[in-house]
Amino acid sequence: MTAPHLASLIAKELRRLHNLDMPGAKDAQLWIDISRLLEKASNLSFDDHLKQQSYETISFKQLREEVRSLKEASHLLNAPVVFCHNDLLSGNFMYSDAEDEIYLIDFEYGSYNYRGFDIGNHFAEYAGFDCDYDLYPDENAQFHFFRYYLNADDPNSVSQAELEKLYVEVNFFSLASHLFWAVWAIVQSKYSSIDFDYLSYYFLRWKEYQRRKAEFMSLLRVSMADLS
């Protein structure tokens, strides 16, 4: 996904998806979904002693506070709400060599949501199945993606102001992506039949949220200061 040409194709296809007018509720589902997951996640118990020990180290009070804080801050962005895929990892793209086209698959989590969440979540998935979050795209790679997302026919016409605005929005919502999948993983650790260490995945996402929070929240604060 990091290859510039493929990134441009993904950006173009994602914009096409985001432009669709889909039936159903058109309110952003992010905070509703996280709240539901938190309610489930905070009322679990495990027969496995080690799992239970690990689960008991999770501070749901802190998680709720982080969600509340992000939700409150998100209102400052006035981010567009569009129909989103919400799970843009590498396995949900198909590439046609013959057509040189990207196709999205698996809309299990599809809903109306914040544009920035869909893109920020996609960038977090650059980490791959090894969860190497050092692969998160830098500013130059993100701007390349944004140019094709905002104007695939003439990417060089996209202004610096447009790039910088989307950069703040996307990186802010990448924090929400870490919280969403972290809480999701707690629930999956109880109910999923897949042989995967979901609790460890929770701690990976939570750790990355904490590592990036100050950096990405500062982008929001600076952008708001510039507007005042």
Side-chain angles (χ1 to χ4, degrees):
M1 298 191 300
T2 62
H5 178 61
L6 288 179
S8 67
L9 294 179
I10 291 170
K12 180 180 177 180
E13 182 65 8
L14 186 56
R15 181 56 182 263
R16 190 182 73 83
L17 174 71
H18 287 173
N19 283 340
L20 294 178
D21 182 12
M22 300 293 285
K26 290 180 168 55
D27 298 320
Q29 296 300 298
L30 175 62
W31 308 117
I32 296 170
D33 289 345
I34 290 183
S35 294
R36 288 173 177 168
L37 286 170
L38 262 174
E39 183 63 27
K40 289 182 180 180
S42 60
N43 292 285
L44 300 177
S45 62
F46 297 88
D47 295 331
D48 184 294
H49 178 66
L50 292 178
K51 266 191 176 182
Q52 184 65 29
Q53 277 190 324
S54 182
Y55 173 76
E56 289 174 0
T57 67
I58 298 170
S59 172
F60 287 99
K61 180 180 179 181
Q62 187 177 9
L63 276 172
R64 288 191 178 92
E65 175 56 29
E66 295 298 332
V67 170
R68 185 204 62 78
S69 177
L70 276 190
K71 181 180 180 181
E72 185 176 289
S74 72
H75 299 312
L76 299 172
L77 287 164
N78 196 27
V81 174
V82 297
F83 185 76
C84 292
H85 186 283
N86 293 318
D87 192 20
L88 293 170
L89 74 166
S90 60
N92 286 337
F93 295 102
M94 295 184 69
Y95 173 66
S96 167
D97 285 305
E99 300 172 352
D100 191 30
E101 292 284 353
I102 285 284
Y103 298 94
L104 298 177
I105 63 171
D106 190 358
F107 288 84
E108 177 185 357
Y109 293 97
S111 71
Y112 273 84
N113 218 338
Y114 299 103
R115 169 185 70 175
F117 178 82
D118 221 12
I119 303 174
N121 182 67
H122 173 59
F123 287 165
E125 292 295 348
Y126 277 33
F129 293 109
D130 292 331
C131 298
D132 182 359
Y133 291 106
D134 288 335
L135 296 176
Y136 189 82
D138 61 18
E139 183 181 273
N140 287 334
Q142 290 193 37
F143 279 12
H144 170 78
F145 187 98
F146 296 159
R147 287 187 182 96
Y148 284 88
Y149 176 83
L150 293 169
N151 192 340
D153 293 328
D154 189 8
N156 291 324
S157 70
V158 178
S159 70
Q160 185 70 16
E162 289 176 292
L163 294 172
E164 290 175 357
K165 181 180 180 181
L166 190 52
Y167 184 72
V168 172
E169 177 189 330
V170 164
N171 287 285
F172 171 84
F173 277 108
S174 74
L175 295 174
S177 165
H178 287 304
L179 285 185
F180 176 86
W181 293 111
V183 179
W184 170 89
I186 299 171
V187 176
Q188 292 299 308
S189 71
K190 173 68 175 180
Y191 297 111
S192 177
S193 60
I194 297 172
D195 184 16
F196 182 78
D197 189 351
Y198 285 102
L199 279 180
S200 290
Y201 187 67
Y202 157 79
F203 287 108
L204 277 174
R205 297 303 294 250
W206 173 242
K207 181 180 179 181
E208 186 62 13
Y209 169 81
Q210 292 179 305
R211 184 169 81 102
R212 294 288 192 173
K213 180 185 174 183
E215 175 188 357
F216 293 159
M217 290 300 290
S218 70
L219 292 175
L220 178 61
R221 285 193 294 271
V222 169
S223 71
M224 292 299 106
D226 289 343
L227 292 175
S228 63

